[in-house]
């Protein structure tokens, strides 16, 4: 089993930064409520990879409609949509897209999904608070 432990997911424009040696993963999407955060992500690859997808997790309690309270990511390409040809880069881009564009049709967290669908202003406020909580030290 290979484990990218606590990869750092950081919101930078149009590119991914992956530092496998130090277990860091960064990406940036400027001008979103997620901007400025440095989000820890763990990607765990089983011995059966690439036949089965890695498990991707944010810290427990991470606020997002498609991330379970335990931190596990609910993303189609990591489940039924998995294909062995999917690359780590595609997974990381998928995570980036998921943060920016939650899927309310596949909720993993009731509170954040309710806010996203019924009170977008409050949802965006909580996302900005989380970005401050995980503020980049760089």
């Amino acid at each position: 089993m290979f484990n990218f432990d606590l990869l750092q997911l950081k919101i930078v424009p149009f590119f991914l930064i992956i530092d496998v040696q130090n277990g860091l993963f960064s990406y940036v999407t400027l001008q979103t409520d997620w901007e400025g955060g440095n989000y820890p992500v763990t990607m765990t690859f089983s011995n059966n990879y690439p036949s089965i997808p890695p498990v991707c997790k944010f810290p427990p309690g991470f606020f997002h409609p498609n991330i379970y309270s335990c931190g596990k990511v609910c993303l189609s390409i990591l489940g039924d949509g998995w294909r062995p040809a999917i690359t780590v880069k595609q997974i990381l881009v998928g995570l980036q897209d998921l943060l920016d564009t939650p899927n309310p049709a596949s909720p993993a967290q009731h509170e954040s999904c309710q806010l996203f669908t019924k009170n977008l202003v409050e949802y965006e406020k909580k996302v900005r608070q989380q970005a401050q909580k995980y503020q980049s030290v760089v």
Side-chain angles (χ1 to χ4, degrees), residues 62-90:
F62 196 84
F63 181 80
H64 189 279
N66 305 113
I67 299 174
Y68 292 98
S69 60
C70 65
K72 186 176 177 184
V73 175
C74 178
L75 181 62
S76 62
I77 64 169
L78 296 174
D80 293 340
W82 177 254
R83 296 180 331 273
I86 294 175
T87 66
V88 171
K89 179 180 178 182
Q90 289 170 311

Side-chain angles (χ1 to χ4, degrees), residues 73-125:
V73 175
C74 178
L75 181 62
S76 62
I77 64 169
L78 296 174
D80 293 340
W82 177 254
R83 296 180 331 273
I86 294 175
T87 66
V88 171
K89 179 180 178 182
Q90 289 170 311
I91 294 169
L92 299 178
V93 170
L95 291 174
Q96 175 180 350
D97 186 52
L98 185 67
L99 288 183
D100 292 336
T101 314
N103 179 3
S106 183
Q109 225 182 91
H110 180 73
E111 177 196 0
S112 59
C113 188
Q114 288 294 308
L115 283 178
F116 179 73
T117 57
K118 298 189 184 328
N119 189 345
L120 192 57
V121 171
E122 186 63 25
Y123 172 81
E124 290 169 344
K125 179 181 173 185

Side-chain angles (χ1 to χ4, degrees), residues 24-53:
L24 299 176
F25 150 53
S26 298
Y27 83 89
V28 174
T29 309
L30 293 180
Q31 300 175 344
T32 75
D33 294 315
W34 295 93
E35 183 177 356
N38 194 14
Y39 305 103
V41 177
T42 301
M43 295 178 77
T44 305
F45 297 83
S46 76
N47 291 333
N48 294 327
Y49 175 82
S51 295
I52 62 170

